[in-house]
Amino acid sequence: MLIAKAAAQYRSQLLSPRALSLSQATAAAFHRCYSTAPIGMSTSQIVEHVVLFKVKPDVEAAKVNDMIGKLNGLASLPQVAHIAAGALLRARSSSLSFTHMLHSRYRSKSDLADYSAHADHVAVVKGYVLPICEDIMAVDWIPDCFSGPIKVPAGSAIRATFLKLKESVGENEKNEILRVNKGIKEKFPSIEQLCVGENFSARAKGYSIASIAIFRGVSELEALNEAKDKVEEFLDDVLAVDFAVPGEQSANL
């Protein structure tokens, strides 16, 4: 009973995103990336790293653009397999609100640690992030059986979902929730890539299960905009955010 309700709650948050503005050209580029040769593909372990930022409401747009530009510039670091930062399209939670997001990928936990400690990263955080943000949350996890492109194409629609379980949830129930979440892609093939796992970051504000679903285009999202149930018995909170990977010319928006 509880597992069924948990699955309904998860699908409600995952599959009800606002329509994201993707052009036909962007969708076509996305399709080519996922249907061509194995360049940039991986079936090995990766580490997902998501940082959510809440920018202070009175911050000048130029300073926000500087922060986003500097974060995207960290793509030059050798530890980074993929990185993209920009404004959120939507954030939904009963207790938190964020304005911007960074999504990056690494080939190991040590690469993530080296990136975090790198002088360039530290300089960006201290000089451009902390002065203008009033709240920051970071979630890290290793998805099982990762496959597909490590780099997420520009313009891709991402739904990142983070689950905070109630303290009464046991290990068996948690594992079953993970199993149900990992199986969602089989029921909804319009999800091009789904990465689910357990958080290991100390800065996740109590959220313990994380996922990223990558969609090809608007029509697929709208077709799934059906689940309406909201079940609160099993979860303390669900934080879901929508994000579109920016292109080179829009990386500072």
Side-chain angles (χ1 to χ4, degrees):
M1 180 68 175
L2 291 178
I3 299 303
K5 291 183 177 180
Q9 169 70 4
Y10 180 80
R11 283 193 289 268
S12 174
Q13 297 293 333
L14 176 65
L15 303 176
S16 299
R18 187 181 62 184
L20 308 181
S21 298
L22 297 177
S23 65
Q24 291 183 349
T26 297
F30 188 98
H31 177 71
R32 289 193 299 270
C33 176
Y34 275 92
S35 59
T36 53
I39 298 175
M41 305 288 282
S42 172
T43 57
S44 61
Q45 171 183 293
I46 66 145
V47 178
E48 298 277 17
H49 176 62
V50 171
V51 183
L52 298 175
F53 311 91
K54 183 177 182 180
V55 173
K56 298 173 185 177
D58 58 346
V59 174
E60 297 175 2
K63 293 184 178 180
V64 178
N65 288 341
D66 287 344
M67 178 187 77
I68 297 304
K70 293 295 183 180
L71 289 172
N72 282 311
L74 295 174
S76 63
L77 298 185
Q79 300 87 359
V80 177
H82 166 75
I83 195 167
L88 287 174
L89 299 171
R90 174 174 176 168
R92 179 165 56 190
S93 168
S94 63
S95 60
L96 297 171
S97 64
F98 294 99
T99 59
H100 294 74
M101 171 173 151
L102 177 145
H103 171 225
S104 55
R105 286 173 166 174
Y106 308 84
R107 292 180 174 83
S108 66
K109 283 187 175 182
S110 61
D111 278 356
L112 173 58
D114 291 345
Y115 157 82
S116 298
H118 196 285
D120 290 355
H121 173 260
V122 173
V124 170
V125 172
K126 289 184 177 180
Y128 295 89
V129 176
L130 294 181
I132 69 170
C133 290
E134 63 183 36
D135 196 12
I136 299 173
M137 169 179 160
V139 186
D140 304 319
W141 72 100
I142 299 175
D144 294 335
C145 303
F146 177 85
S147 63
I150 293 179
K151 292 182 179 296
V152 183
S156 303
I158 292 179
R159 160 55 63 106
T161 307
F162 309 106
L163 309 181
K164 181 184 290 186
L165 307 184
K166 288 191 173 181
E167 294 182 359
S168 58
V169 173
E171 189 71 16
N172 291 338
E173 295 160 323
K174 180 190 70 176
N175 290 336
E176 181 64 12
I177 293 171
L178 284 166
R179 185 191 67 79
V180 170
N181 293 344
K182 293 171 185 177
I184 286 179
K185 187 176 184 297
E186 297 177 3
K187 297 182 179 179
F188 302 100
S190 58
I191 299 175
E192 295 288 335
Q193 194 177 56
L194 179 66
C195 299
V196 182
E198 291 188 68
N199 167 66
F200 61 84
S201 169
R203 300 181 294 154
K205 298 183 182 292
Y207 293 85
S208 59
I209 295 178
S211 70
I212 282 182
I214 301 174
F215 295 87
R216 181 182 300 176
V218 174
S219 60
E220 290 84 0
L221 293 174
E222 292 178 342
L224 295 175
N225 192 15
E226 298 177 354
K228 301 296 183 182
D229 296 335
K230 293 187 177 180
V231 180
E232 301 295 339
E233 298 179 36
F234 202 81
L235 304 171
D236 273 342
D237 192 25
V238 176
L239 170 59
V241 297
D242 297 333
F243 176 71
V245 178
E248 292 183 3
Q249 293 183 348
S250 59
N252 288 341
L253 296 180

PDB file of all heavy atoms in Angstrom, residues 53-88:
ATOM      1  N   PHE A  53      20.519  26.915  -6.479  1.00  0.00           N
ATOM      2  CA  PHE A  53      20.838  28.218  -5.917  1.00  0.00           C
ATOM      3  C   PHE A  53      19.567  29.046  -5.787  1.00  0.00           C
ATOM      4  O   PHE A  53      18.728  29.040  -6.690  1.00  0.00           O
ATOM      5  CB  PHE A  53      21.822  28.985  -6.811  1.00  0.00           C
ATOM      6  CG  PHE A  53      23.034  28.208  -7.233  1.00  0.00           C
ATOM      7  CD1 PHE A  53      23.031  27.481  -8.420  1.00  0.00           C
ATOM      8  CD2 PHE A  53      24.178  28.210  -6.455  1.00  0.00           C
ATOM      9  CE1 PHE A  53      24.155  26.775  -8.822  1.00  0.00           C
ATOM     10  CE2 PHE A  53      25.309  27.507  -6.846  1.00  0.00           C
ATOM     11  CZ  PHE A  53      25.292  26.778  -8.036  1.00  0.00           C
ATOM     12  N   LYS A  54      19.471  29.781  -4.714  1.00  0.00           N
ATOM     13  CA  LYS A  54      18.427  30.788  -4.571  1.00  0.00           C
ATOM     14  C   LYS A  54      19.107  32.153  -4.539  1.00  0.00           C
ATOM     15  O   LYS A  54      19.734  32.538  -3.553  1.00  0.00           O
ATOM     16  CB  LYS A  54      17.608  30.578  -3.295  1.00  0.00           C
ATOM     17  CG  LYS A  54      16.451  31.572  -3.167  1.00  0.00           C
ATOM     18  CD  LYS A  54      15.616  31.306  -1.924  1.00  0.00           C
ATOM     19  CE  LYS A  54      14.435  32.276  -1.831  1.00  0.00           C
ATOM     20  NZ  LYS A  54      13.617  32.021  -0.607  1.00  0.00           N
ATOM     21  N   VAL A  55      18.988  32.867  -5.648  1.00  0.00           N
ATOM     22  CA  VAL A  55      19.619  34.184  -5.750  1.00  0.00           C
ATOM     23  C   VAL A  55      18.775  35.203  -4.989  1.00  0.00           C
ATOM     24  O   VAL A  55      17.540  35.176  -5.037  1.00  0.00           O
ATOM     25  CB  VAL A  55      19.757  34.585  -7.229  1.00  0.00           C
ATOM     26  CG1 VAL A  55      20.258  36.015  -7.360  1.00  0.00           C
ATOM     27  CG2 VAL A  55      20.700  33.623  -7.954  1.00  0.00           C
ATOM     28  N   LYS A  56      19.441  36.095  -4.305  1.00  0.00           N
ATOM     29  CA  LYS A  56      18.733  37.149  -3.563  1.00  0.00           C
ATOM     30  C   LYS A  56      17.898  37.990  -4.521  1.00  0.00           C
ATOM     31  O   LYS A  56      18.329  38.278  -5.645  1.00  0.00           O
ATOM     32  CB  LYS A  56      19.752  38.033  -2.837  1.00  0.00           C
ATOM     33  CG  LYS A  56      20.594  37.300  -1.804  1.00  0.00           C
ATOM     34  CD  LYS A  56      21.695  38.193  -1.246  1.00  0.00           C
ATOM     35  CE  LYS A  56      22.603  37.419  -0.297  1.00  0.00           C
ATOM     36  NZ  LYS A  56      23.724  38.258   0.211  1.00  0.00           N
ATOM     37  N   PRO A  57      16.714  38.393  -4.105  1.00  0.00           N
ATOM     38  CA  PRO A  57      15.790  39.062  -5.034  1.00  0.00           C
ATOM     39  C   PRO A  57      16.260  40.408  -5.539  1.00  0.00           C
ATOM     40  O   PRO A  57      15.819  40.864  -6.595  1.00  0.00           O
ATOM     41  CB  PRO A  57      14.501  39.190  -4.213  1.00  0.00           C
ATOM     42  CG  PRO A  57      14.924  39.099  -2.784  1.00  0.00           C
ATOM     43  CD  PRO A  57      16.104  38.181  -2.771  1.00  0.00           C
ATOM     44  N   ASP A  58      17.161  41.082  -4.833  1.00  0.00           N
ATOM     45  CA  ASP A  58      17.575  42.423  -5.240  1.00  0.00           C
ATOM     46  C   ASP A  58      18.901  42.446  -5.998  1.00  0.00           C
ATOM     47  O   ASP A  58      19.480  43.508  -6.219  1.00  0.00           O
ATOM     48  CB  ASP A  58      17.681  43.327  -4.014  1.00  0.00           C
ATOM     49  CG  ASP A  58      18.659  42.777  -2.968  1.00  0.00           C
ATOM     50  OD1 ASP A  58      19.024  41.581  -3.084  1.00  0.00           O
ATOM     51  OD2 ASP A  58      19.038  43.532  -2.050  1.00  0.00           O
ATOM     52  N   VAL A  59      19.381  41.279  -6.411  1.00  0.00           N
ATOM     53  CA  VAL A  59      20.670  41.210  -7.098  1.00  0.00           C
ATOM     54  C   VAL A  59      20.533  41.689  -8.539  1.00  0.00           C
ATOM     55  O   VAL A  59      19.568  41.352  -9.234  1.00  0.00           O
ATOM     56  CB  VAL A  59      21.222  39.770  -7.076  1.00  0.00           C
ATOM     57  CG1 VAL A  59      22.478  39.661  -7.921  1.00  0.00           C
ATOM     58  CG2 VAL A  59      21.518  39.345  -5.640  1.00  0.00           C
ATOM     59  N   GLU A  60      21.502  42.456  -8.994  1.00  0.00           N
ATOM     60  CA  GLU A  60      21.500  42.952 -10.371  1.00  0.00           C
ATOM     61  C   GLU A  60      21.647  41.793 -11.353  1.00  0.00           C
ATOM     62  O   GLU A  60      22.375  40.830 -11.106  1.00  0.00           O
ATOM     63  CB  GLU A  60      22.650  43.938 -10.579  1.00  0.00           C
ATOM     64  CG  GLU A  60      22.552  45.191  -9.724  1.00  0.00           C
ATOM     65  CD  GLU A  60      23.774  46.074  -9.895  1.00  0.00           C
ATOM     66  OE1 GLU A  60      24.651  45.712 -10.711  1.00  0.00           O
ATOM     67  OE2 GLU A  60      23.844  47.108  -9.230  1.00  0.00           O
ATOM     68  N   ALA A  61      20.974  41.911 -12.483  1.00  0.00           N
ATOM     69  CA  ALA A  61      21.010  40.853 -13.491  1.00  0.00           C
ATOM     70  C   ALA A  61      22.436  40.589 -13.980  1.00  0.00           C
ATOM     71  O   ALA A  61      22.799  39.441 -14.272  1.00  0.00           O
ATOM     72  CB  ALA A  61      20.115  41.229 -14.665  1.00  0.00           C
ATOM     73  N   ALA A  62      23.250  41.629 -14.049  1.00  0.00           N
ATOM     74  CA  ALA A  62      24.630  41.456 -14.519  1.00  0.00           C
ATOM     75  C   ALA A  62      25.421  40.529 -13.600  1.00  0.00           C
ATOM     76  O   ALA A  62      26.234  39.715 -14.067  1.00  0.00           O
ATOM     77  CB  ALA A  62      25.321  42.812 -14.625  1.00  0.00           C
ATOM     78  N   LYS A  63      25.180  40.640 -12.289  1.00  0.00           N
ATOM     79  CA  LYS A  63      25.897  39.773 -11.355  1.00  0.00           C
ATOM     80  C   LYS A  63      25.430  38.326 -11.462  1.00  0.00           C
ATOM     81  O   LYS A  63      26.223  37.392 -11.309  1.00  0.00           O
ATOM     82  CB  LYS A  63      25.719  40.296  -9.929  1.00  0.00           C
ATOM     83  CG  LYS A  63      26.399  41.632  -9.678  1.00  0.00           C
ATOM     84  CD  LYS A  63      26.264  42.061  -8.219  1.00  0.00           C
ATOM     85  CE  LYS A  63      27.001  43.370  -7.973  1.00  0.00           C
ATOM     86  NZ  LYS A  63      26.885  43.816  -6.548  1.00  0.00           N
ATOM     87  N   VAL A  64      24.137  38.134 -11.721  1.00  0.00           N
ATOM     88  CA  VAL A  64      23.620  36.787 -11.925  1.00  0.00           C
ATOM     89  C   VAL A  64      24.229  36.184 -13.187  1.00  0.00           C
ATOM     90  O   VAL A  64      24.655  35.023 -13.204  1.00  0.00           O
ATOM     91  CB  VAL A  64      22.086  36.795 -12.022  1.00  0.00           C
ATOM     92  CG1 VAL A  64      21.560  35.387 -12.283  1.00  0.00           C
ATOM     93  CG2 VAL A  64      21.474  37.357 -10.742  1.00  0.00           C
ATOM     94  N   ASN A  65      24.290  36.981 -14.255  1.00  0.00           N
ATOM     95  CA  ASN A  65      24.904  36.511 -15.498  1.00  0.00           C
ATOM     96  C   ASN A  65      26.373  36.166 -15.301  1.00  0.00           C
ATOM     97  O   ASN A  65      26.873  35.190 -15.873  1.00  0.00           O
ATOM     98  CB  ASN A  65      24.760  37.572 -16.588  1.00  0.00           C
ATOM     99  CG  ASN A  65      23.340  37.691 -17.097  1.00  0.00           C
ATOM    100  OD1 ASN A  65      22.532  36.788 -16.910  1.00  0.00           O
ATOM    101  ND2 ASN A  65      23.045  38.807 -17.749  1.00  0.00           N
ATOM    102  N   ASP A  66      27.070  36.962 -14.500  1.00  0.00           N
ATOM    103  CA  ASP A  66      28.473  36.672 -14.206  1.00  0.00           C
ATOM    104  C   ASP A  66      28.603  35.328 -13.492  1.00  0.00           C
ATOM    105  O   ASP A  66      29.488  34.527 -13.809  1.00  0.00           O
ATOM    106  CB  ASP A  66      29.083  37.776 -13.349  1.00  0.00           C
ATOM    107  CG  ASP A  66      29.334  39.056 -14.130  1.00  0.00           C
ATOM    108  OD1 ASP A  66      29.328  38.998 -15.379  1.00  0.00           O
ATOM    109  OD2 ASP A  66      29.527  40.109 -13.490  1.00  0.00           O
ATOM    110  N   MET A  67      27.727  35.070 -12.514  1.00  0.00           N
ATOM    111  CA  MET A  67      27.767  33.798 -11.785  1.00  0.00           C
ATOM    112  C   MET A  67      27.553  32.623 -12.734  1.00  0.00           C
ATOM    113  O   MET A  67      28.327  31.647 -12.724  1.00  0.00           O
ATOM    114  CB  MET A  67      26.712  33.777 -10.683  1.00  0.00           C
ATOM    115  CG  MET A  67      26.666  32.454  -9.921  1.00  0.00           C
ATOM    116  SD  MET A  67      25.293  32.324  -8.731  1.00  0.00           S
ATOM    117  CE  MET A  67      23.914  31.981  -9.857  1.00  0.00           C
ATOM    118  N   ILE A  68      26.524  32.715 -13.576  1.00  0.00           N
ATOM    119  CA  ILE A  68      26.221  31.623 -14.490  1.00  0.00           C
ATOM    120  C   ILE A  68      27.352  31.425 -15.495  1.00  0.00           C
ATOM    121  O   ILE A  68      27.745  30.292 -15.809  1.00  0.00           O
ATOM    122  CB  ILE A  68      24.888  31.885 -15.220  1.00  0.00           C
ATOM    123  CG1 ILE A  68      23.744  31.927 -14.209  1.00  0.00           C
ATOM    124  CG2 ILE A  68      24.632  30.809 -16.267  1.00  0.00           C
ATOM    125  CD1 ILE A  68      23.610  30.695 -13.360  1.00  0.00           C
ATOM    126  N   GLY A  69      27.882  32.529 -16.005  1.00  0.00           N
ATOM    127  CA  GLY A  69      28.980  32.422 -16.948  1.00  0.00           C
ATOM    128  C   GLY A  69      30.211  31.768 -16.352  1.00  0.00           C
ATOM    129  O   GLY A  69      30.862  30.928 -16.992  1.00  0.00           O
ATOM    130  N   LYS A  70      30.551  32.143 -15.121  1.00  0.00           N
ATOM    131  CA  LYS A  70      31.713  31.550 -14.455  1.00  0.00           C
ATOM    132  C   LYS A  70      31.490  30.075 -14.154  1.00  0.00           C
ATOM    133  O   LYS A  70      32.420  29.258 -14.275  1.00  0.00           O
ATOM    134  CB  LYS A  70      32.018  32.314 -13.171  1.00  0.00           C
ATOM    135  CG  LYS A  70      32.499  33.735 -13.387  1.00  0.00           C
ATOM    136  CD  LYS A  70      33.855  33.758 -14.094  1.00  0.00           C
ATOM    137  CE  LYS A  70      34.375  35.182 -14.235  1.00  0.00           C
ATOM    138  NZ  LYS A  70      35.706  35.228 -14.918  1.00  0.00           N
ATOM    139  N   LEU A  71      30.268  29.716 -13.748  1.00  0.00           N
ATOM    140  CA  LEU A  71      29.984  28.303 -13.479  1.00  0.00           C
ATOM    141  C   LEU A  71      30.103  27.473 -14.754  1.00  0.00           C
ATOM    142  O   LEU A  71      30.711  26.397 -14.757  1.00  0.00           O
ATOM    143  CB  LEU A  71      28.588  28.158 -12.874  1.00  0.00           C
ATOM    144  CG  LEU A  71      28.422  28.661 -11.437  1.00  0.00           C
ATOM    145  CD1 LEU A  71      26.946  28.646 -11.033  1.00  0.00           C
ATOM    146  CD2 LEU A  71      29.243  27.820 -10.458  1.00  0.00           C
ATOM    147  N   ASN A  72      29.553  27.961 -15.849  1.00  0.00           N
ATOM    148  CA  ASN A  72      29.674  27.230 -17.110  1.00  0.00           C
ATOM    149  C   ASN A  72      31.123  27.169 -17.582  1.00  0.00           C
ATOM    150  O   ASN A  72      31.526  26.218 -18.256  1.00  0.00           O
ATOM    151  CB  ASN A  72      28.794  27.876 -18.184  1.00  0.00           C
ATOM    152  CG  ASN A  72      27.333  27.510 -18.031  1.00  0.00           C
ATOM    153  OD1 ASN A  72      26.981  26.344 -17.890  1.00  0.00           O
ATOM    154  ND2 ASN A  72      26.463  28.508 -18.055  1.00  0.00           N
ATOM    155  N   GLY A  73      31.904  28.179 -17.216  1.00  0.00           N
ATOM    156  CA  GLY A  73      33.306  28.187 -17.591  1.00  0.00           C
ATOM    157  C   GLY A  73      34.125  27.104 -16.925  1.00  0.00           C
ATOM    158  O   GLY A  73      35.227  26.776 -17.388  1.00  0.00           O
ATOM    159  N   LEU A  74      33.600  26.500 -15.857  1.00  0.00           N
ATOM    160  CA  LEU A  74      34.308  25.418 -15.178  1.00  0.00           C
ATOM    161  C   LEU A  74      34.350  24.146 -16.017  1.00  0.00           C
ATOM    162  O   LEU A  74      34.981  23.164 -15.635  1.00  0.00           O
ATOM    163  CB  LEU A  74      33.661  25.134 -13.820  1.00  0.00           C
ATOM    164  CG  LEU A  74      33.760  26.280 -12.804  1.00  0.00           C
ATOM    165  CD1 LEU A  74      32.958  25.958 -11.556  1.00  0.00           C
ATOM    166  CD2 LEU A  74      35.220  26.566 -12.443  1.00  0.00           C
ATOM    167  N   ALA A  75      33.701  24.164 -17.170  1.00  0.00           N
ATOM    168  CA  ALA A  75      33.785  23.027 -18.093  1.00  0.00           C
ATOM    169  C   ALA A  75      35.221  22.764 -18.528  1.00  0.00           C
ATOM    170  O   ALA A  75      35.547  21.660 -18.990  1.00  0.00           O
ATOM    171  CB  ALA A  75      32.907  23.281 -19.311  1.00  0.00           C
ATOM    172  N   SER A  76      36.088  23.767 -18.412  1.00  0.00           N
ATOM    173  CA  SER A  76      37.484  23.602 -18.823  1.00  0.00           C
ATOM    174  C   SER A  76      38.294  22.763 -17.837  1.00  0.00           C
ATOM    175  O   SER A  76      39.388  22.312 -18.180  1.00  0.00           O
ATOM    176  CB  SER A  76      38.144  24.973 -18.978  1.00  0.00           C
ATOM    177  OG  SER A  76      38.167  25.662 -17.726  1.00  0.00           O
ATOM    178  N   LEU A  77      37.781  22.524 -16.647  1.00  0.00           N
ATOM    179  CA  LEU A  77      38.533  21.740 -15.669  1.00  0.00           C
ATOM    180  C   LEU A  77      38.591  20.279 -16.109  1.00  0.00           C
ATOM    181  O   LEU A  77      37.593  19.724 -16.584  1.00  0.00           O
ATOM    182  CB  LEU A  77      37.884  21.845 -14.291  1.00  0.00           C
ATOM    183  CG  LEU A  77      37.837  23.252 -13.679  1.00  0.00           C
ATOM    184  CD1 LEU A  77      37.274  23.198 -12.264  1.00  0.00           C
ATOM    185  CD2 LEU A  77      39.210  23.897 -13.679  1.00  0.00           C
ATOM    186  N   PRO A  78      39.730  19.626 -15.941  1.00  0.00           N
ATOM    187  CA  PRO A  78      39.888  18.258 -16.474  1.00  0.00           C
ATOM    188  C   PRO A  78      38.996  17.226 -15.795  1.00  0.00           C
ATOM    189  O   PRO A  78      38.708  16.186 -16.388  1.00  0.00           O
ATOM    190  CB  PRO A  78      41.371  17.960 -16.213  1.00  0.00           C
ATOM    191  CG  PRO A  78      41.764  18.879 -15.103  1.00  0.00           C
ATOM    192  CD  PRO A  78      40.971  20.135 -15.321  1.00  0.00           C
ATOM    193  N   GLN A  79      38.532  17.500 -14.588  1.00  0.00           N
ATOM    194  CA  GLN A  79      37.699  16.529 -13.884  1.00  0.00           C
ATOM    195  C   GLN A  79      36.252  16.512 -14.392  1.00  0.00           C
ATOM    196  O   GLN A  79      35.511  15.565 -14.130  1.00  0.00           O
ATOM    197  CB  GLN A  79      37.671  16.837 -12.379  1.00  0.00           C
ATOM    198  CG  GLN A  79      39.020  16.797 -11.697  1.00  0.00           C
ATOM    199  CD  GLN A  79      39.758  18.119 -11.780  1.00  0.00           C
ATOM    200  OE1 GLN A  79      39.267  19.090 -12.375  1.00  0.00           O
ATOM    201  NE2 GLN A  79      40.943  18.171 -11.180  1.00  0.00           N
ATOM    202  N   VAL A  80      35.855  17.549 -15.094  1.00  0.00           N
ATOM    203  CA  VAL A  80      34.453  17.720 -15.461  1.00  0.00           C
ATOM    204  C   VAL A  80      34.143  16.993 -16.763  1.00  0.00           C
ATOM    205  O   VAL A  80      34.722  17.281 -17.809  1.00  0.00           O
ATOM    206  CB  VAL A  80      34.114  19.222 -15.608  1.00  0.00           C
ATOM    207  CG1 VAL A  80      32.672  19.405 -16.072  1.00  0.00           C
ATOM    208  CG2 VAL A  80      34.344  19.946 -14.292  1.00  0.00           C
ATOM    209  N   ALA A  81      33.186  16.063 -16.708  1.00  0.00           N
ATOM    210  CA  ALA A  81      32.735  15.358 -17.907  1.00  0.00           C
ATOM    211  C   ALA A  81      31.596  16.098 -18.589  1.00  0.00           C
ATOM    212  O   ALA A  81      31.418  16.004 -19.806  1.00  0.00           O
ATOM    213  CB  ALA A  81      32.294  13.937 -17.551  1.00  0.00           C
ATOM    214  N   HIS A  82      30.809  16.817 -17.808  1.00  0.00           N
ATOM    215  CA  HIS A  82      29.708  17.626 -18.333  1.00  0.00           C
ATOM    216  C   HIS A  82      29.335  18.649 -17.276  1.00  0.00           C
ATOM    217  O   HIS A  82      29.370  18.355 -16.076  1.00  0.00           O
ATOM    218  CB  HIS A  82      28.483  16.761 -18.652  1.00  0.00           C
ATOM    219  CG  HIS A  82      27.232  17.575 -18.864  1.00  0.00           C
ATOM    220  ND1 HIS A  82      26.998  18.306 -20.013  1.00  0.00           N
ATOM    221  CD2 HIS A  82      26.149  17.795 -18.051  1.00  0.00           C
ATOM    222  CE1 HIS A  82      25.829  18.910 -19.918  1.00  0.00           C
ATOM    223  NE2 HIS A  82      25.297  18.631 -18.744  1.00  0.00           N
ATOM    224  N   ILE A  83      28.989  19.848 -17.725  1.00  0.00           N
ATOM    225  CA  ILE A  83      28.511  20.864 -16.787  1.00  0.00           C
ATOM    226  C   ILE A  83      27.598  21.838 -17.527  1.00  0.00           C
ATOM    227  O   ILE A  83      27.846  22.166 -18.695  1.00  0.00           O
ATOM    228  CB  ILE A  83      29.681  21.615 -16.109  1.00  0.00           C
ATOM    229  CG1 ILE A  83      29.193  22.396 -14.889  1.00  0.00           C
ATOM    230  CG2 ILE A  83      30.402  22.511 -17.088  1.00  0.00           C
ATOM    231  CD1 ILE A  83      30.315  22.901 -13.987  1.00  0.00           C
ATOM    232  N   ALA A  84      26.544  22.257 -16.871  1.00  0.00           N
ATOM    233  CA  ALA A  84      25.625  23.251 -17.427  1.00  0.00           C
ATOM    234  C   ALA A  84      24.940  23.963 -16.280  1.00  0.00           C
ATOM    235  O   ALA A  84      24.475  23.321 -15.329  1.00  0.00           O
ATOM    236  CB  ALA A  84      24.592  22.595 -18.340  1.00  0.00           C
ATOM    237  N   ALA A  85      24.873  25.275 -16.362  1.00  0.00           N
ATOM    238  CA  ALA A  85      24.241  26.077 -15.323  1.00  0.00           C
ATOM    239  C   ALA A  85      23.345  27.117 -15.968  1.00  0.00           C
ATOM    240  O   ALA A  85      23.621  27.598 -17.065  1.00  0.00           O
ATOM    241  CB  ALA A  85      25.293  26.762 -14.437  1.00  0.00           C
ATOM    242  N   GLY A  86      22.265  27.455 -15.274  1.00  0.00           N
ATOM    243  CA  GLY A  86      21.356  28.463 -15.786  1.00  0.00           C
ATOM    244  C   GLY A  86      20.151  28.641 -14.895  1.00  0.00           C
ATOM    245  O   GLY A  86      20.072  28.046 -13.804  1.00  0.00           O
ATOM    246  N   ALA A  87      19.223  29.442 -15.341  1.00  0.00           N
ATOM    247  CA  ALA A  87      18.013  29.714 -14.574  1.00  0.00           C
ATOM    248  C   ALA A  87      17.061  28.531 -14.637  1.00  0.00           C
ATOM    249  O   ALA A  87      16.954  27.849 -15.665  1.00  0.00           O
ATOM    250  CB  ALA A  87      17.319  30.968 -15.099  1.00  0.00           C
ATOM    251  N   LEU A  88      16.362  28.279 -13.541  1.00  0.00           N
ATOM    252  CA  LEU A  88      15.329  27.257 -13.528  1.00  0.00           C
ATOM    253  C   LEU A  88      14.102  27.736 -14.287  1.00  0.00           C
ATOM    254  O   LEU A  88      13.754  28.919 -14.257  1.00  0.00           O
ATOM    255  CB  LEU A  88      14.933  26.923 -12.087  1.00  0.00           C
ATOM    256  CG  LEU A  88      15.925  26.107 -11.258  1.00  0.00           C
ATOM    257  CD1 LEU A  88      15.430  25.990  -9.823  1.00  0.00           C
ATOM    258  CD2 LEU A  88      16.141  24.729 -11.849  1.00  0.00           C
TER     259      LEU A  88
END
